[in-house]
Amino acid sequence: MAPNRRAFLISTAGALATAGLPAAAPAANQKARMPASAALKNLMDGNVRFVTGHTVSHPTVAGVRELASGQSPFAIVLACADSRVPVETLFDHEPGDIFVVRLAGNFVSDAALGSIEYAAAVLKSPLVMVLGHTSCGAVQAAVDGVQTGKKFPGHIQILADAIEPAAKAVEHEHGDWVHNAVIENVRLNVRKLKESQPIMAEAVKARELEVVGAVYDLRTGAVQLV
Ligand SMILES: [Zn+2]
């Protein structure tokens, strides 16, 4: 482990409730020490490269091998499972850069929260982005449920139920109901992460972690903060 990273870990060890958590392997990727503002710039600059066709990321087996001893992702992204939202691709980054949690509707389930807490508290990622996207089928399902009382088979109803508060919150707003609900769902889950006790809320309070929300546009490839 690099001396400066060891010092960083020692300096922050007492601030988070990490007792009992598995220790992180030594970091191969040194980007994790960047401040949250730089991490966000890193993501957004990568998205600009993606949109403009100037990508620089080319994952290789050699790069993968360098990461085999440990990871130190500079950002955590909670995104939809939709096949059209490939997180590393749309941010023009490589394996080891982004800790990605994906599930349909990009909401904070218990398992998603545990994953994010691990990346924040153990891997020391300084930034979480909740990333919704336009024309999200899970959000559409939630809106359909509110609008018509429609129920979905199997465990799909769990998704609609989780996003229902966002759908209801914007029911009477002007504009497209589904699009407004996509944005509201991102904002509600950003708030949920910031207020989640004990790990997330304490890390945010200690200014070790920032949580932001954004929406990915399927038509343009652009990510916009919301
Ligand atoms: Zn979706």
Side-chain angles (χ1 to χ4, degrees):
M1 186 183 292
N4 50 355
R5 177 161 176 81
R6 193 189 308 277
F8 175 83
L9 290 174
I10 290 168
S11 72
T12 57
L16 289 171
T18 55
L21 289 170
N29 176 346
Q30 296 302 309
K31 292 173 185 170
R33 286 189 302 278
M34 70 177 66
S37 58
L40 179 59
K41 185 175 188 307
N42 224 10
L43 287 180
M44 300 307 278
D45 285 354
N47 180 244
V48 169
R49 292 195 301 274
F50 174 66
V51 169
T52 58
H54 294 91
T55 54
V56 297
S57 293
H58 303 288
T60 62
V61 174
V64 166
R65 195 180 303 125
E66 277 182 34
L67 290 165
S69 60
Q71 61 171 325
S72 188
F74 72 84
I76 305 160
V77 175
L78 172 60
C80 186
D82 193 303
S83 63
R84 300 165 295 178
V85 188
V87 174
E88 285 88 348
T89 302
L90 65 92
F91 286 119
D92 188 32
H93 275 85
E94 301 192 359
D97 289 335
I98 308 172
F99 191 96
V100 182
V101 179
R102 290 177 68 173
L103 76 167
N106 46 266
F107 62 91
V108 182
S109 68
D110 284 351
L113 178 58
S115 301
I116 293 166
E117 286 178 344
Y118 172 73
V122 180
L123 302 179
K124 308 292 181 188
S125 296
L127 177 74
V128 186
M129 176 183 280
V130 178
L131 182 64
H133 68 96
T134 59
S135 306
C136 181
V139 174
Q140 177 74 60
V143 169
D144 287 348
V146 173
Q147 199 167 25
T148 68
K150 186 176 178 181
K151 295 294 179 188
F152 299 90
H155 294 73
I156 300 171
Q157 185 62 39
I158 293 171
L159 308 178
D161 288 344
I163 305 168
E164 185 185 274
K168 280 185 172 170
V170 297
E171 184 176 357
H172 303 295
E173 279 190 8
H174 290 294
D176 182 79
W177 190 354
V178 172
H179 188 66
N180 291 340
V182 163
I183 295 169
E184 184 66 16
N185 185 47
V186 167
R187 289 176 175 158
L188 287 178
N189 282 285
V190 166
R191 200 177 313 148
K192 186 171 180 179
L193 285 173
K194 284 182 175 175
E195 295 172 354
S196 173
Q197 291 287 356
I199 291 179
M200 302 299 289
E202 287 182 19
V204 168
K205 192 178 170 190
R207 296 176 180 245
E208 293 169 351
L209 186 73
E210 279 189 27
V211 186
V212 300
V215 172
Y216 175 64
D217 191 325
L218 292 181
R219 294 160 299 181
T220 65
V223 171
Q224 188 173 14
L225 295 173
V226 297

